[in-house]
Amino acid sequence: MSAQKTIKAPRPLIAGNWKMNGTPADLKQIRALIAKLSGKSRYACDTMICPPATLLAPMAELRAKMKASRQLALGGQDCHANASGAHTGDISADMLKQAKASAVILGHSERRSDHGETDKIVKAKVEAALKAGLSAIICVGESLKERKSGDTLKVVGKQLRGSLPDGCTSANTVIAYEPVWAIGSGLTPTTEQVAQVHLALRKALVRRFGDEGSNMRILYGGSVKPSNAQELMAVPHVNGALVGGASLKANDFLGILAAYKQ
Ligand code: 13P
């Protein structure tokens, strides 16, 4: 069974990762975003914002007030592998869930580099997230050095194998390919390079998870902007985007969503 034959393109997801940005003053961006998502414009994709944990509850409240829980999903940016306990500064998957997140980003390259997160740690966090009923958005991506030495597919393949537990399904798992050198740099891989990595990831997912693997969403992330979104989203096996900087302002984010405008 070839990976190509089994594709029924999954519904795309555009997720915004606010990283360590945002205070209550920025809720106006969410208000503006929801107003458009609930208005006449129709987008053939799911939409999510992953704010700092402090903004999950206020965003959820605003979303409820605007009756837009179907239009905008919320996600966390990390969780601890344990359910509770003496882990100062950490947050559990269930805490995110109770603050109305439906997903959590795990294994982002900034977590891997700032906090020394290994594939093994990421996998344990994914297990905790799935157990709490969250979906996991699991990030993989090569450094510039690894790209230059021709090791990209080897690196992302190893991260994928090591970071995903058994039991991942297309409903509870999303993969995000984020080349580390493309994050926040304004640089993006060529569409051929993106296509090569996404196809390799798809094949690896199908090998391990069968039909579930063929339906799992594989997002591209790294300097996605309104000006390049359409081109990147048209690449085979790109099922949406994980957006950093350009998700902070409603207008920029809407410009990226426009790649899926109906
Ligand atoms: P930028 O879109 O700012 O490059 O960030 C990408 C990213 O890291 C999303 O998780």
Side-chain angles (χ1 to χ4, degrees), residues 5 200 205 225:
K5 249 165 71 192
L205 290 170
K225 309 271 178 251

Side-chain angles (χ1 to χ4, degrees), residues 141-187:
E142 82 287 3
S143 66
L144 190 56
K145 189 160 162 250
E146 291 160 341
R147 160 69 59 187
K148 283 190 170 154
S149 59
D151 289 330
T152 298
L153 296 185
K154 203 172 86 192
V155 168
V156 299
K158 183 164 175 279
Q159 289 175 329
L160 193 75
R161 271 193 309 281
S163 306
L164 270 66
D166 294 335
C168 287
T169 68
S170 55
N172 67 20
T173 304
V174 174
I175 308 301
Y177 168 53
E178 299 206 307
V180 179
W181 53 275
I183 295 175
S185 63
L187 302 173

Side-chain angles (χ1 to χ4, degrees), residues 15-17 19 105 108-110 139 176 178 182-187 221-225 242-247:
N17 175 8
K19 308 192 178 183
I105 299 171
H108 191 282
S109 66
E110 287 147 19
C139 304
E178 299 206 307
I183 295 175
S185 63
L187 302 173
S223 295
V224 178
K225 309 271 178 251
L242 185 55
V243 184
S247 69

Side-chain angles (χ1 to χ4, degrees), residues 130-260:
L130 302 189
K131 196 165 163 205
L134 294 176
S135 335
I137 301 176
I138 305 164
C139 304
V140 298
E142 82 287 3
S143 66
L144 190 56
K145 189 160 162 250
E146 291 160 341
R147 160 69 59 187
K148 283 190 170 154
S149 59
D151 289 330
T152 298
L153 296 185
K154 203 172 86 192
V155 168
V156 299
K158 183 164 175 279
Q159 289 175 329
L160 193 75
R161 271 193 309 281
S163 306
L164 270 66
D166 294 335
C168 287
T169 68
S170 55
N172 67 20
T173 304
V174 174
I175 308 301
Y177 168 53
E178 299 206 307
V180 179
W181 53 275
I183 295 175
S185 63
L187 302 173
T188 50
T190 64
T191 50
E192 288 75 18
Q193 289 171 327
V194 174
Q196 185 197 32
V197 177
H198 279 241
L199 179 60
L201 291 172
R202 176 66 70 211
K203 284 183 171 168
L205 290 170
V206 171
R207 263 197 312 271
R208 181 155 171 207
F209 298 104
D211 283 353
E212 290 298 327
S214 65
N215 288 321
M216 263 177 212
R217 296 187 271 202
I218 310 177
L219 313 184
Y220 167 77
S223 295
V224 178
K225 309 271 178 251
S227 55
N228 62 19
Q230 198 171 357
E231 191 183 23
L232 287 164
M233 296 306 102
V235 173
H237 299 291
V238 171
N239 313 119
L242 185 55
V243 184
S247 69
L248 295 171
K249 295 277 178 264
N251 274 344
D252 293 340
F253 199 56
L254 287 161
I256 291 169
L257 285 168
Y260 292 113

Side-chain angles (χ1 to χ4, degrees), residues 115-136:
H115 300 274
E117 290 191 7
T118 59
D119 292 338
K120 194 168 161 217
I121 293 173
V122 176
K123 184 177 174 180
K125 291 183 172 199
V126 175
E127 281 169 342
L130 302 189
K131 196 165 163 205
L134 294 176
S135 335

